[in-house]
Amino acid sequence: DIQMTQSPSTLSASVGDKVTITCRASQYLGSWLAWYQQKPGKAPSLLISKASTLESGVPSRFSGGGSGTEFTLTISSLQRDDFASYYCQQYNSFPWTFGQGTKVEIK
Amino acid sequence: QVQLVESGGGVVQPGRSLRLSCAASGFTFSAFGMHWVRQAPGKGLEWVALIWYDGSDKYYGDSVKGRFTISRDNSKNTLYLQMDSLRAEDTAVYYCARGMGASPPDYWGQGTLVTVSS
């Protein structure tokens, strides 16, 4: 199985900050990577697919990058609504696997 | 609009079985693959299973393979997860989610809680 490792596990930041979350895969993924946002008590929401394709309705301050085994999710200017947990997921091969998550907290 | 509503969760003893359902509306159910994803209390997301739009292919996570069975009834717009030989570590909120082909899920239900405890 492909192991997904996110860093950091927790990130403390202020409104307006630029933040970057990294996701590393144990095997080559090409661009078959997605990012999700999850708020407490809610279902996850798909932000980005194919490593860098923003889903409809997702604010442009979110961007995804990378390919192969290393990927990033960047929020260019953190807004109050962005304080949440973020997960990467590989869908290159079954079983699909998620990273352990990154919690973005208010500093 | 797209709606996915899970049901069937509850408290069940270890070793017993439970069947979850997911009622879909607002889209052409028979055109989409469907997933189950779970989240243990305070933990991260774990992908459980995927069934192809027509039921022809099914894929499972390692921790549930051989114990869980995903199925669907396109005439009823309903997805199922049959969970057998349940263990304490299966305790989680179970989400159903929609995916086009082998793309990541784009719409999710609100989840149903399964608690495995004696």
Side-chain angles (χ1 to χ4, degrees), chain A residues 50-103:
Chain A
K50 279 183 88 173
S52 61
T53 300
L54 211 61
E55 293 297 304
S56 175
V58 175
S60 58
R61 62 181 179 273
F62 290 90
S63 64
S67 66
T69 61
E70 187 153 333
F71 303 86
T72 57
L73 172 69
T74 299
I75 309 172
S76 60
S77 177
L78 201 63
Q79 301 301 302
R80 195 156 293 275
D81 190 50
D82 302 335
F83 291 97
S85 293
Y86 294 85
Y87 295 88
C88 61
Q89 181 200 30
Q90 68 82 17
Y91 55 106
N92 177 72
S93 63
F94 293 107
W96 291 6
T97 44
F98 287 92
Q100 81 278 15
T102 296
K103 186 174 183 180

Side-chain angles (χ1 to χ4, degrees), chain B residues 3 10 22 24 40 52 65 83-84 89 92 94 98 103 107-109 113 118:
Chain B
Q3 275 202 310
C22 170
W52 233 233
K65 199 177 298 184
M83 304 185 294
D84 298 324
E89 53 265 36
Y94 285 74
R98 179 191 90 163
S103 295
Y107 281 92
W108 297 59
L113 176 62
S118 54

